Structure formats: C-alpha cells, structure tokens
Amino acid sequence: MKGILIGAVMAIGVGGCNNSTSIKTASNHFPSDSLATPATTALYQNLLALQGKKILFGHQDDLAYGVGWQYEKGRSDVKEVTGEYPALYGWELGNLELGAAKSLDSVPFEAIQSYIKEGYDSGAVITISWHLNNPLNGKSAWDTTHGSVASIIPGGAKHELYKTYLDKLAIFLSELKGSDGGQIPVLFRPFHEQTGNWFWWCQNTCTPQEYTTLWQFTVNYLRNNKQLHHILYVYNTSDFENKAQFMERYPGDDYVDVISFDAYQNEKMITDSSNEFVQKVDKCLGMLKEMAHEKNKLAAFAETGFEAIPKANWWTNDLLPLLKKHQPSYVLVWRNAGLMKESGKMHYYAPYPKQVSAPDFVNFYKEETIVFQLKAKQANLYKAN
Ligand code: BMA
C-alpha cells in the first residue's frame, strides 16, 4: 500500500524518504464517513499525503463561463492564461432546492453535472457550495432573519420543508458519475462563512448548538437516509480571531473532513506600509494549519481573491508567500462573472488573457508547489495507494 502511494505522490515530484512519515500517517486516517466509497477514501488520503507539500489551485465555475464568454466547450480563463486547467473546480447549487433548472448564477444544473464529470474524468477535484434560500421565509441566502436555523432543525416548523431541499440535493449528488461508472467524490461545503453576519445560518442568527444540530442532521440525512458515501464535508468560516472562535460551531470530527475559511483582498486593505489581507490570512492560515494537524484533517483556503485583480503582482507577492508558508491542501478563487449588470462592476477573480495580473499568474502557475490539472492527474487522486 505504502509503496504505491509513494509512487503516486512522487509522480508529482514530492516523493523521497522525508515523506514516509506523512504518507504512512495519511493511509492510517479515514474520512468522517466510515462507509466512504473507495474513491472518496483514496481522495482524502491522497490529499492528506500531499498536504504540506503541494497546493491544488481551484477556480469557481471555471468551465462554464469567463470574462466575455459563456458556455463555449473547452474554454477556461485559467487555461487561456496558463495553458492548463485548474486542479480543483468549484460549483454552486443555490436554487437547486427550489426545483429550478438553473443555479442562482444562471448555470443550468444539467450543465454543472456534466462539467463535474469532465473535471473528475480529467483527474481534478470537485467542491460544491450551496447558497440555498431560507426555508423559513423563501428569501435568499443573504436573508438574516433570526431563528431561521432553529426553524429547520428537528422539531422546527420548517423541518419537513428543509428535508425536501435535501432530497433534491441528494438526487443531484447521486447522479454524479464519472466515465468509469463510479460515483464522483465531492467536497461539500454547506453553511459556509458562519462567523460572518450575512447569511441566514451565520453566527448572528443562531446559537452554536443550533448550528451544530443543523450540520449533524444534514450529514446524517445524506449519509444514512440517502446512503450517499461519496462526500467529504468541508467546515468553513470567514476570517477569524482565534481558534476558539473558529471551533465554536465545529460539529465534531465525525462530521467534518476539511477545515477551511474564506477571505478576500480589497483595495482598502493595502496602504503604503501595510497589507491587511496578508496579515489577516497569515494569522488564520497559521491557526488553521495547527488545528488541521491536531485533528488529522485537511486544511483549505476555500475562497479567496481580489475582485478584478487590480494589483499586477498579487499572485506571487500577496497570495503565494502565504500559501508557501502555511501549505493548505488547496486554494480556490471565486468566479469570473465579468461585468455585473446590477452593479456595473467587473466581478472576476482569475485573470483572462491580457488582464493586468496575467503575466504574474503565469509565474504563480509555474511554481513547483502549486498544482494545476496535469499534476493532479498524475497524482491519481482517486486511486487507493
Ligand atoms: C457571490 C457573488 C454572487 C453569487 C454568489 C454565489 O460571492 O459571486 O454574484 O451569486 O457568490 O455564487
């Protein structure tokens, strides 16, 4: 077992005797789901073995659209700049719970399913977010009505309605099959950024007990009632002050595989003498690494970016040193929506050809420690080692 894993890991250039401890450790650890499929277990263990050495680069909605284009087969802004696709694809399921044909970002769910298959077939990793509507009142994910979470946990007035949301999610997830016929493992990141105050599941609308009850109920329902065993669960906060705050709503090791947070750069965070984003993320990634190590979980920088990337060297000056120092398992930048009609603003987080940060992104891409699609494929992430 150990030998083959070394082979897989060496294929992307991180083998050698120094790694034997972490490789052995990784194959001794299992996903939180004791019935996880072999491919899901392999993915978890392979990512654990790579943690501390390689960082997968991910992009939200990468294959569906980019700046100035939509639904053109084979296109990807990341590929058009670097020559390669990302190693990780993020997809968003908001509106699935309503039985809609398209996501809240207007991507047809059938298309998302085939993009997920395409990503998996190419050896990349899939992660899913869900800005689901508030079952309490039918408003969006950004509604912050107090008591929303309380209303959907067992005993709550909207519990049965919430179960219908999960039923739809379960169908979508169960239909994810690769060309090899196997269920496609997904990193599912529900109820994200809960230390913030902008979603109906955030800390200002529910107690820690209600949040963990919702999380555990959700996982148990998908795992036990729906028999879905191809899911790795991603616990996620926004930026945080200390470990106690990060862990306040942690639902338990049996319900979580990846611990992560989201943080974005903006112009106001940069002055001549300081960079608030770098300082903040340095602190959070450092704490995250320690907690992941203590728990034998994966650590991830689940969402980041600088909207419209106005800083030409953002990739190698701001982001890369943070990644190299703290070595999370993966990093994902948000979607390339382009011009937003409502705000008139450009909304994108990966460069496109000729974008001001494109040359720097190529330098980032060339970094030995950063993984795009080809290195992910060589690592054979879904095969037991
Ligand atoms: C936000 C923005 C929104 C989008 C949402 C869910 O950060 O990108 O436009 O609807 O994520 O994907």
Side-chain angles (χ1 to χ4, degrees), residues 83-99:
E84 232 186 281
Y85 292 105
L88 170 82
Y89 294 99
W91 298 103
E92 163 60 36
L93 300 187
N95 281 4
L96 182 77
E97 69 282 1
L98 308 177

Side-chain angles (χ1 to χ4, degrees), residues 31 79 115 131 220 225 227 234 249 303 307 321 327 377:
K79 179 164 186 274
Y115 291 132
H131 289 76
N220 285 333
N225 297 54
Q227 288 292 312
V234 185
R249 284 150 198 261
E303 274 186 45
E307 191 178 54
Q327 299 280 338
K377 188 181 173 67

